[in-house]
Amino acid sequence: MAKFLVTTSKGLENLLESELTALGIENIKLSVSSVWFEGTMEQAYRLCYTSRLANKVLLELASGDCVNKNDLYKITQSVDWPMQFNDKVTLSVDFNGTNDALRNTQFSAQVIKDAICDLFNEEIGRRPNVDKTNADIRIQGRLIKKQAHIFLDFSGASLHQRGYRTQAGRAPIKENIAAAVVMRSGWLDNPSAPLVDYFCGSGTLLIEAAQMACQMPAQQYRRKWGFDAWLSHNKALFEQIKTEYDEKIIVDADFQLYGFDINNRELTVARQNAEDAGVAGYIHFERQNAVEHTLKVKSETGFIVSNPPYGERLEDQVAIAHLYLDFGHNIKQQHAGWSLTVISSAVDALRYLKLSANKKYKVKNAALDCIVANYQIEAAQDATHPREGLALEFQNRLKKNFKQFAKQARQADTECYRVYDGDLPNYNVAIDIYQDTLVVYEYAAPKSIPEEKAQARLNEVLLTAPFVLGTDPSKIALKVRKKQKGNEQYKKAADRGEVMTVREGQALFNVNLYDYLDTGLFLDHRDMRKLIGEVSRGKSVLNLFSYTCSVSVHAALGGATQVTSVDLSKKYLDWGKQNFELNGINSAWHPFVAMDSIDWLKRTNNQFDLIFIDPPSFSNSKKLANDFDVQRDHMQLIRLALEHLKAGGDIYFSNNLRSFKLDEEALAEMGLQWQDLTHKTMPFDFKRKANIRQAWRLFKPQK
């Protein structure tokens, strides 16, 4: 009897135990991602050739207490290595685990390699060569608790690699994970029933199912094993075992296996993989959209197994939520009474299948934490739209707002407006409409709200908002609102480079809805921009902290003689120049200055009839000599601006710090009067939160 460690993917340990038990193996002990057993070489050979769940079969050669490299070296040298393999083979060593003294796995592997080679040199005067990529003999060391274990790798390359999948799809599932999903589905107990995968990708789930149903050994196509160069390898016994299992393969079976996918390239890969796996005759592959209402397979009972898309990026998650909801609705319409088994890392999205799981199993697919869930598909109660019963409180408020604001937006002659702004505490988001696209800002949830609940509510918004507003679900830009520090507002969140041109009154603007937190157009400044345009005719205008120069555009279109735009970011000034050209304004006639506004005011001698100032609440950009705080520094900014204001001119000052207090006493000492424009310049779609921004006109009274 020998001692073996069989590794697998986390979550498959119980299934692997059942597989070992079926081979007559006893003395089994489960561990995380692995199973120990004591058995014969024959049992180990059978396991290597047939296991659908194992990754590695490791024969233990030595073990012992291990604190440091000296212990590891001694444990390794306790094995008579020249009796295991000869010096003409190539060798590789891997190591798993660390402790206080053995912190680097490559170093530990080197210790084992040195111990083996030193023993060879001492006994026969020669040592095997090392080949890290294609070695004949693979040794693996493991630190488990306080003990080191030295293994001979029986399998060689991981057993999950069957050899038939020369090509993989975009999101491949490991073969042993796919086999586990099929096992969990229950189809193998009733293989005469249809088995369907509506997201078949490269076909792995169905190929594994077909091979299991045909009793094909998992490693039928493997030609190289980790024990081939092992001196104790019983080649005759292994060949006898292979022949025994090969003769059990069922040929000309009659299975109903169907693989559908929306991607033709994936289907081409799946067909080739099925051909290479010897099961092409059992699986029908066809292009099909899983969310359409004309699914292909009709039967009173059957099984669906699927590995639907997960969605790693924010914009993917939006599409995934819609996909799961529509897929769940569709299979309830088409496959009532069937069983559904899915594997997904999009755990939050599973709830949108709107099915109650009979069983859920945690599993690790590569680096992803996934759930394998079993469902009994219930018939849909009615044919209503799947979103109609979701987040009704939010839907009703959004419908009410849209009916009111869409009309007001037409009256304001704008294509961009805010239709929802945290109206309900349970749905703490803002939603802006830009033509046919939605921009959804997720506000940070209170710490008292669990993260999973906040995510669920956000998903409900993403699912229902396009439905209520009549927009394409794919046209959603999702952003997270948080306090921006320094130059963070200039950092890209994506790199799609998609530009949309929108209209606001007589002005056109380029906006980017995906790549930055802000789109290039502050909607809450809409009425202020309009006011500046109305009062700019015949005047020289200075726009400080100009961002993408939307105020400058309105001023120029309003008849300003010249508009000077100053901003710290050259990127945004270039964007501003594009906005000028978009409106037929020659940007060469109007200065664009990439500089800190305060520094520029200190250096310039230019005078202006109208100065517009809309500073950030706070900035500590590396480009600044000192950080900027609007509450602390606004009077310095106004004093400097006043030095460049022509007689009879006006300063328009605004900001978005909700706690901001204008220093009226200091203004009076400077001889300035002020007119509060906050209410007058608050757009219709922002009046619900009147403290979102404040604005004033500052001027010296005429003598």
Side-chain angles (χ1 to χ4, degrees):
M1 300 289 281
K3 190 173 183 180
F4 294 89
L5 177 66
V6 187
T7 67
T8 187
S9 297
K10 187 177 181 180
L12 304 190
E13 299 90 350
N14 289 324
L15 286 174
L16 179 59
E17 180 187 23
S18 298
E19 199 174 50
L20 268 61
T21 301
L23 292 173
I25 296 173
E26 300 176 347
N27 301 317
I28 300 170
K29 180 182 177 182
L30 272 65
S31 188
V32 177
S33 302
S34 60
V35 173
W36 291 91
F37 78 90
E38 292 183 9
T40 65
M41 288 300 127
E42 179 182 348
Q43 290 173 326
Y45 284 151
R46 290 181 183 275
L47 179 63
C48 285
Y49 195 56
T50 64
S51 177
R52 294 253 158 213
L53 302 167
N55 285 328
K56 293 281 188 181
V57 177
L58 304 171
L59 169 63
E60 185 179 78
L61 300 178
S63 65
D65 293 337
C66 182
V67 175
N68 52 40
K69 69 175 184 177
N70 293 330
D71 294 336
L72 183 60
Y73 187 91
K74 290 178 182 178
I75 294 167
T76 305
Q77 284 220 321
S78 69
V79 178
D80 189 351
W81 291 105
M83 293 294 292
Q84 303 297 326
F85 51 88
N86 64 49
D87 62 289
K88 293 182 175 62
V89 305
T90 55
L91 171 71
S92 70
V93 180
D94 293 314
F95 197 85
N96 183 286
T98 60
N99 64 17
D100 291 340
L102 298 169
R103 300 178 182 177
N104 185 292
T105 56
Q106 290 184 344
F107 173 78
S108 298
Q110 183 71 29
V111 171
I112 294 175
K113 189 270 294 181
D114 289 344
I116 294 172
C117 291
D118 289 349
L119 192 63
F120 266 94
N121 282 326
E122 290 170 7
E123 293 196 9
I124 64 175
R126 299 183 303 276
R127 49 154 285 184
N129 291 323
V130 172
D131 185 341
K132 294 183 178 180
T133 58
N134 196 31
D136 300 313
I137 291 288
R138 300 186 183 194
I139 303 299
Q140 187 174 122
R142 286 181 172 241
L143 271 178
I144 303 175
K145 296 182 179 179
K146 295 182 179 181
Q147 283 204 322
H149 301 258
I150 309 299
F151 300 99
L152 172 68
D153 184 349
F154 254 39
S155 41
S158 177
L159 294 176
H160 85 269
Q161 299 172 356
R162 316 290 199 220
Y164 63 75
R165 197 167 73 176
T166 56
Q167 299 183 71
R170 290 167 297 176
I173 183 174
K174 291 176 65 177
E175 292 92 320
N176 60 340
I177 300 293
V181 172
V182 175
M183 292 176 185
R184 295 292 194 197
S185 74
W187 177 76
L188 291 171
D189 297 328
N190 184 19
S192 62
L195 181 67
V196 181
D197 184 355
Y198 281 108
F199 303 92
C200 72
S202 55
T204 309
L205 280 164
L206 295 174
I207 291 170
E208 288 293 315
Q211 286 196 339
M212 284 188 284
C214 291
Q215 298 184 30
M216 289 184 177
Q219 301 303 325
Q220 183 184 16
Y221 299 106
R222 182 174 290 243
R223 296 294 175 260
K224 185 173 181 179
W225 293 91
F227 47 65
D228 287 337
W230 183 45
L231 294 179
S232 296
H233 172 41
N234 189 333
K235 186 175 181 180
L237 175 61
F238 185 57
E239 292 299 324
Q240 176 186 330
I241 289 170
K242 287 171 60 179
T243 300
E244 175 189 334
Y245 283 107
D246 290 350
E247 290 177 349
K248 293 180 180 180
I249 297 174
I250 299 172
V251 294
D252 299 324
D254 184 20
F255 301 126
Q256 302 178 66
L257 275 65
Y258 303 88
F260 302 111
D261 203 279
I262 198 170
N263 187 298
N264 279 323
R265 180 189 172 279
E266 298 273 351
L267 290 169
T268 299
V269 171
R271 292 187 182 99
Q272 185 60 55
N273 287 343
E275 183 73 33
D276 294 342
V279 295
Y282 302 121
I283 308 173
H284 172 76
F285 290 107
E286 185 178 335
R287 188 178 186 277
Q288 170 71 25
N289 189 339
V291 300
E292 289 182 350
H293 294 284
T294 55
L295 301 183
K296 297 289 186 178
V297 183
K298 306 296 182 182
S299 175
E300 289 187 4
T301 59
F303 296 81
I304 300 173
V305 292
S306 280
N307 173 32
Y310 300 164
E312 296 301 308
R313 300 174 301 173
L314 278 176
E315 57 265 34
D316 290 338
Q317 293 175 23
V318 178
I320 294 305
H322 285 281
L323 175 66
Y324 281 52
L325 185 65
D326 291 331
F327 177 60
H329 179 71
N330 205 16
I331 59 175
K332 283 190 284 187
Q333 298 278 335
Q334 305 284 333
H335 292 304
W338 283 41
S339 296
L340 168 69
T341 302
V342 298
I343 177 172
S344 178
S345 70
V347 178
D348 292 324
L350 285 174
R351 65 196 293 264
Y352 296 112
L353 293 172
K354 291 192 173 181
L355 294 167
S356 297
N358 302 325
K359 288 281 184 70
K360 288 184 179 181
Y361 308 92
K362 293 182 179 180
V363 68
K364 198 92 168 180
N365 181 26
L368 294 174
D369 291 316
C370 296
I371 293 291
V372 176
N374 286 343
Y375 304 90
Q376 194 67 28
I377 302 174
E378 304 166 353
Q381 297 299 313
D382 51 51
T384 59
H385 198 286
R387 289 156 185 78
E388 287 189 359
L390 191 63
L392 287 178
E393 180 188 25
F394 169 74
Q395 285 201 52
N396 291 335
R397 177 59 64 92
L398 189 59
K399 288 176 184 177
K400 178 182 177 182
N401 288 359
F402 182 52
K403 182 177 181 180
Q404 174 186 352
F405 293 152
K407 179 179 179 180
Q408 291 179 295
R410 290 191 295 271
Q411 293 171 347
D413 198 19
T414 181
E415 295 179 326
C416 316
Y417 60 98
R418 177 155 295 183
V419 70
Y420 180 92
D421 197 357
D423 299 36
L424 303 170
N426 285 343
Y427 298 95
N428 195 23
V429 300
I431 303 176
D432 295 339
I433 295 177
Y434 285 76
Q435 293 178 350
D436 61 348
T437 302
L438 305 182
V439 178
V440 178
Y441 295 98
E442 180 192 15
Y443 294 124
K447 293 182 179 179
S448 59
I449 303 296
E451 183 178 348
E452 59 273 15
K453 181 174 287 188
Q455 182 62 46
R457 289 170 177 171
L458 175 62
N459 286 344
E460 291 175 358
V461 169
L462 301 177
L463 286 166
T464 58
F467 170 63
V468 172
L469 301 175
T471 59
D472 186 336
S474 67
K475 293 187 174 183
I476 296 182
L478 176 61
K479 303 168 187 288
V480 178
R481 274 286 182 197
K482 63 179 182 179
K483 290 184 178 180
Q484 301 296 302
K485 296 182 179 179
N487 217 30
E488 283 188 0
Q489 65 266 39
Y490 300 132
K491 292 182 179 179
K492 282 196 171 185
D495 197 18
R496 295 174 57 160
E498 297 178 20
V499 175
M500 173 189 290
T501 300
V502 297
R503 183 178 52 79
E504 180 181 273
Q506 61 177 333
L508 298 173
F509 297 108
N510 281 336
V511 293
N512 184 322
L513 306 185
Y514 297 97
D515 291 352
Y516 299 92
L517 177 63
D518 294 311
T519 65
L521 190 66
F522 294 129
L523 301 189
D524 59 317
H525 290 195
R526 184 189 310 118
D527 285 12
M528 177 58 84
R529 287 190 289 269
K530 179 182 177 183
L531 175 61
I532 296 299
E534 291 172 351
V535 299
S536 293
R537 179 167 297 278
K539 296 179 181 179
S540 57
V541 176
L542 171 62
N543 181 9
L544 298 174
F545 307 95
S546 60
Y547 187 39
T548 59
C549 308
S550 55
V551 169
S552 301
V553 167
H554 272 280
L557 290 175
T561 57
Q562 188 180 60
V563 184
T564 300
S565 303
V566 181
D567 196 272
L568 193 60
S569 170
K570 184 178 182 300
K571 182 188 297 290
Y572 283 95
L573 288 175
D574 289 341
W575 192 334
K577 291 178 184 178
Q578 294 172 13
N579 282 334
F580 267 57
E581 300 295 338
L582 186 64
N583 286 275
I585 307 167
N586 189 342
S587 61
W589 296 349
H590 302 273
F592 294 82
V593 182
M595 192 172 176
D596 172 50
S597 293
I598 290 179
D599 286 346
W600 185 81
L601 286 173
K602 291 177 180 178
R603 298 183 186 188
T604 187
N605 294 318
N606 295 347
Q607 298 287 302
F608 302 91
D609 297 307
L610 188 154
I611 300 176
F612 176 72
I613 310 174
D614 183 61
S617 299
F618 180 81
S619 178
N620 62 353
S621 169
K622 293 179 181 179
K623 296 179 182 180
L624 294 175
N626 301 293
D627 60 14
F628 176 84
D629 183 301
V630 68
Q631 184 63 69
R632 182 192 66 203
D633 300 325
H634 73 282
M635 285 311 304
Q636 178 196 15
L637 184 57
I638 291 171
R639 285 191 189 96
L640 288 170
L642 191 59
E643 293 176 7
H644 301 282
L645 187 66
K646 293 180 181 179
D650 294 308
I651 296 175
Y652 289 84
F653 179 81
S654 69
N655 72 84
N656 287 70
L657 179 64
R658 299 192 180 194
S659 61
F660 179 80
K661 299 295 182 183
L662 186 66
D663 192 341
E664 297 178 353
E665 182 177 345
L667 288 177
E669 290 177 359
M670 295 168 60
L672 287 175
Q673 292 187 0
W674 54 92
Q675 176 188 4
D676 192 335
L677 300 176
T678 301
H679 180 74
K680 179 180 179 180
T681 60
M682 188 64 66
F684 68 88
D685 44 335
F686 288 88
K687 291 188 183 296
R688 291 159 294 173
K689 294 189 175 181
N691 64 340
I692 193 171
R693 54 180 299 276
Q694 301 177 72
W696 296 267
R697 170 181 168 243
L698 310 177
F699 57 94
K700 284 191 174 183
Q702 297 293 326
K703 295 182 181 179

